[in-house]
Amino acid sequence: MDSTERFTSLSEEEIQNLRTELNSKSTQKSNKRAAGTLRQYLMEKKQRSDFENFDKVTLNAALSQFYVNLRKPDGTKYKMTSFESIRHSLNRYLKYPPFNKTFDIVKDEEFRNANVNFRAVMAD
């Protein structure tokens, strides 16, 4: 009889790594780039930059301003697809390890103001 155990005992870190790897390397890079952009914006505006620790109300307010003020490094506006990609990347960044947020910045009612501003910029 085989002495291999049927069930493994993965550590919490190993489980987190499995969850992180659900996204491709390029997606992970995109998520980090979007998070870095938001962090840079917050720092430039002299606000707390640890947005991963914000409550929903504070994050909604930050995103509301971020979306309407976001520009490329050369000062021009992003294309609609790039703008959408940043928002979705931020959402994934917050939802996957190590943050594991249960809320959704794209769909949840608590982020209504931010998403109205997002749509307004998209329509512009």
Side-chain angles (χ1 to χ4, degrees), residues 1-119:
M1 185 153 142
D2 188 7
S3 64
T4 306
E5 293 181 23
R6 178 177 175 193
F7 300 102
T8 63
S9 298
L10 293 179
S11 69
E12 189 60 35
E13 182 179 347
E14 291 169 315
I15 294 169
Q16 295 299 321
N17 287 338
L18 280 173
R19 292 190 62 197
T20 299
E21 292 171 6
L22 283 172
N23 290 314
S24 70
K25 295 292 181 200
S26 64
T27 299
Q28 291 176 42
K29 186 176 176 182
S30 176
N31 297 350
K32 287 180 183 177
R33 187 173 33 245
T37 302
L38 176 55
R39 190 175 327 284
Q40 184 179 9
Y41 167 79
L42 293 168
M43 289 169 46
E44 186 176 304
K45 298 298 180 182
K46 305 203 181 334
Q47 298 178 27
R48 283 180 41 210
S49 62
D50 62 333
F51 68 90
E52 300 92 344
N53 298 317
F54 287 3
D55 60 30
K56 292 176 188 177
V57 172
T58 306
L59 184 57
N60 179 53
L63 290 172
S64 292
Q65 291 299 308
F66 175 67
Y67 293 148
V68 297
N69 292 301
L70 182 61
R71 299 292 183 272
K72 293 193 278 188
D74 67 4
T76 60
K77 291 184 178 184
Y78 280 94
K79 292 183 203 173
M80 288 193 322
T81 55
S82 298
F83 190 55
E84 282 184 305
S85 178
I86 290 169
R87 183 171 71 147
H88 287 289
S89 293
L90 283 171
N91 198 40
R92 284 190 305 268
Y93 177 82
L94 291 166
K95 290 179 105 166
Y96 282 89
F99 308 110
N100 300 315
K101 301 294 184 186
T102 56
F103 57 76
D104 189 304
I105 66 170
V106 174
K107 297 178 183 174
D108 288 358
E109 180 62 27
E110 292 92 345
F111 297 95
R112 184 178 186 280
N113 289 340
N115 290 317
V116 168
N117 286 3
F118 179 85
R119 287 190 297 278

